[in-house]
Amino acid sequence: MPDTEPQWEPTRPERAHRRTGPGGLTPEQLALADDLHTRALALRAASEEGLSIREAVTLAAVQLGLEAPSTEGES
């Protein structure tokens, strides 16, 4: 006897699988992120005027050659 019942369909669409966490980066990206993190922490610790996290990461990126230095008046 053939199966005449309709096939069950999910009531909502399945979510796309998203990779998160350390498994989503290549070893080179992880090493670079670690270098950037370490340098930014050192810059914040050595800062006399208390760099913000954003300023420390930006400065670390410039020092590592990942970002071009910007002038104060640029937007």
Side-chain angles (χ1 to χ4, degrees):
M1 178 176 226
D3 184 14
T4 58
E5 290 193 27
Q7 295 297 318
W8 176 81
E9 293 290 326
T11 57
R12 55 189 162 162
E14 292 183 32
R15 285 203 242 169
H17 178 71
R18 291 173 42 180
R19 291 184 76 171
T20 58
L25 299 175
T26 66
E28 293 82 13
Q29 290 169 326
L30 285 171
L32 185 57
D34 188 48
D35 289 347
L36 186 61
H37 173 80
T38 302
R39 189 174 293 245
L41 287 178
L43 287 167
R44 280 192 86 199
S47 170
E48 290 179 10
E49 57 280 333
L51 289 175
S52 71
I53 294 170
R54 180 181 294 228
E55 292 168 329
V57 170
T58 300
L59 183 54
V62 169
Q63 288 181 349
L64 289 170
L66 304 173
E67 187 173 304
S70 64
T71 60
E72 197 65 29
E74 286 185 13
S75 49

